[in-house]
Amino acid sequence: MMSRSLPIAGRASPGRPIDSSLDLEEEIGRLKKEKNAVILAHYYQDDEVQDVADFIGDSLQLAQAAETTTADVICFAGVHFMAETAKILNPQRIVVVPDMEAGCSLASGAPAEKVAAWKARYPGSVLVSYINCSAAVKAISDYIVTSSNAEKIVSSIPTETTILFAPDKNLGGYLNKKLGRTMHLWPGTCIVHDTFSERKIVGLKERHPGALLLAHPECDDVILRMADYVGSTTGILNFATKSDKREFIVATEPGILHSMKKASPDKEFIPAPPEANCACNECPHMKKNTIEKVYLSLRDLEPRLEMDPALMTAALVPIERMLALSK
Ligand code: 13P
Ligand code: SF4
């Protein structure tokens, strides 16, 4: 049970006041039933947003959940490219995003026209795009991958094929090394995963000699080389849950610690620190969504994601290819 005095400046949207006597968790539950809505949330969401979600997962699992849902309304508590994928898979359903401004540095750093011009320089090549990209980039891609299926999908492409990989150079570099490939890499990075400090992580490992370092493949190579495990957010969660070790340094967005602690209350999770003394290991885009905005999006069915039908049709092709290759 949660009681709040609202509106909270800067949290609920201006002009959309919330009755301060409401228990938002209860109201969200009621609205979900009334509107036959489902909340899909990423692990980087605030704890209280994760707690009202029907499903929490990594990018692949969220796309799979969007593919199979029978709800009339999908409230996507994540970032814009993830909600776009849900809409592309469900053109007839209503997809609401608590904060439509929740973007992604990888997606915004790879404009479709520039990626198309890059592709045109390599006739006969295939474009493999990380799911963290716009629908317009997906529409010109041959394959979409996530951090949990990228190894499998890239391995399925013949070795003699020229591959362009966009937009994350860290994930692409990791795959090149692991699979012995020579994919050309788009020079994009995640503003969150690129900030982890090698120096501070080395210090943490010295102070916690039994701790394992778990890292997302969006991290810089210097962090990945030190890591005991590299994988998607779900991979990191599952690894820690199954491990018989007790301490973990977690090199991904610290929102995931909520689910990790829930799964293993007796283990210790230490968020990997950024180099600067800032909270820049938190994704400013993911954190734009709040419980108040989740409530408003279900109450008003706004902001609603609308997309160009032709763009959705073109982007669906590599997304469906990815889902089929992930089974
Ligand atoms: P996952 O697919 O591993 O959840 O990653 C999504 C993401 O945006 C990581 O920054
Ligand atoms: Fe994008 Fe990085 Fe945020 Fe993930 S953590 S959504 S890659 S900016």
Side-chain angles (χ1 to χ4, degrees):
M1 295 279 281
M2 232 187 305
S3 67
R4 331 171 153 258
S5 47
L6 286 168
I8 300 172
R11 284 176 72 81
S13 308
R16 298 169 76 197
I18 299 175
D19 177 349
S20 61
S21 65
L22 291 180
D23 178 315
L24 289 190
E25 273 182 4
E26 262 177 36
E27 276 303 298
I28 288 170
R30 188 185 65 71
L31 287 167
K32 281 200 285 192
K33 282 200 196 101
E34 182 186 302
K35 307 202 177 187
N36 188 24
V38 69
I39 300 178
L40 307 183
H42 189 264
Y43 291 113
Y44 298 163
Q45 294 295 286
D46 283 347
D47 300 359
E48 53 188 5
V49 173
Q50 292 188 40
D51 289 344
V52 294
D54 298 283
F55 183 81
I56 314 173
D58 66 11
S59 306
L60 175 62
Q61 292 173 315
L62 289 167
Q64 288 166 332
E67 187 192 24
T68 53
T69 187
T70 54
D72 295 318
V73 176
I74 299 171
C75 171
F76 207 104
V79 291
H80 194 264
F81 77 81
M82 295 178 176
E84 277 190 336
T85 304
K87 181 70 183 172
I88 291 163
L89 289 163
N90 293 281
Q92 308 308 332
R93 297 181 209 274
I94 294 172
V95 175
V96 290
V97 185
D99 191 320
M100 202 56 89
E101 301 296 308
C104 169
S105 67
L106 281 168
S108 60
E113 334 72 73
K114 291 201 174 147
V115 177
W118 184 51
K119 193 182 179 197
R121 283 175 32 215
Y122 297 90
S125 63
V126 303
L127 175 60
V128 178
S129 296
Y130 187 32
I131 197 165
N132 296 41
C133 65
S134 66
V137 169
K138 289 185 175 78
I140 56 166
S141 299
D142 299 287
Y143 294 87
I144 300 299
V145 299
T146 76
S147 51
S148 60
N149 60 22
E151 280 183 45
K152 187 176 175 191
I153 294 178
V154 170
S155 300
S156 75
I157 303 172
T159 44
E160 59 278 14
T161 307
T162 301
I163 305 177
L164 307 186
F165 187 89
D168 186 14
K169 74 176 169 77
N170 289 341
L171 172 61
Y174 171 74
L175 293 167
N176 271 346
K177 237 184 182 178
K178 184 132 195 219
L179 304 174
R181 305 298 279 246
T182 52
M183 298 188 296
H184 298 272
L185 309 179
W186 181 267
T189 55
C190 159
I191 46 167
V192 174
H193 289 83
D194 225 30
T195 61
F196 295 123
S197 163
E198 176 191 14
R199 183 181 62 85
K200 290 185 184 173
I201 292 175
V202 167
L204 272 175
K205 284 195 123 190
E206 276 164 13
R207 291 197 298 283
H208 300 266
L212 297 184
L213 174 63
L214 315 181
H216 195 280
E218 287 175 17
C219 294
D220 189 274
D221 180 56
V222 77
I223 307 294
L224 296 179
R225 274 190 273 126
M226 283 195 285
D228 298 289
Y229 173 79
V230 177
S232 78
T233 50
T234 297
I236 287 173
L237 169 66
N238 290 345
F239 182 92
T241 308
K242 288 186 197 136
S243 172
D244 54 9
K245 293 284 189 302
R246 311 220 59 76
E247 274 189 307
F248 304 89
I249 301 165
V250 183
T252 192
E253 214 271 1
I256 195 171
L257 265 54
H258 182 60
S259 288
M260 295 181 89
K261 284 179 197 154
K262 266 191 169 174
S264 309
D266 53 333
K267 294 181 182 171
E268 199 193 332
F269 301 104
I270 307 161
E275 184 52 44
N277 290 324
C278 59
C280 28
N281 57 339
E282 289 190 11
C283 176
H285 302 291
M286 289 277 184
K287 298 308 196 228
K288 279 197 159 80
N289 296 324
T290 60
I291 190 91
E292 290 84 5
K293 291 178 190 172
V294 170
Y295 163 73
L296 286 170
S297 68
L298 286 171
R299 186 190 73 181
D300 304 342
L301 297 184
E302 292 287 347
R304 203 179 286 200
L305 186 63
E306 305 290 359
M307 295 176 69
D308 172 39
L311 178 62
M312 285 200 282
T313 305
L316 181 62
V317 176
I319 293 174
E320 283 194 325
R321 190 171 291 143
M322 172 190 82
L323 291 170
L325 286 167
S326 304
K327 282 185 179 135

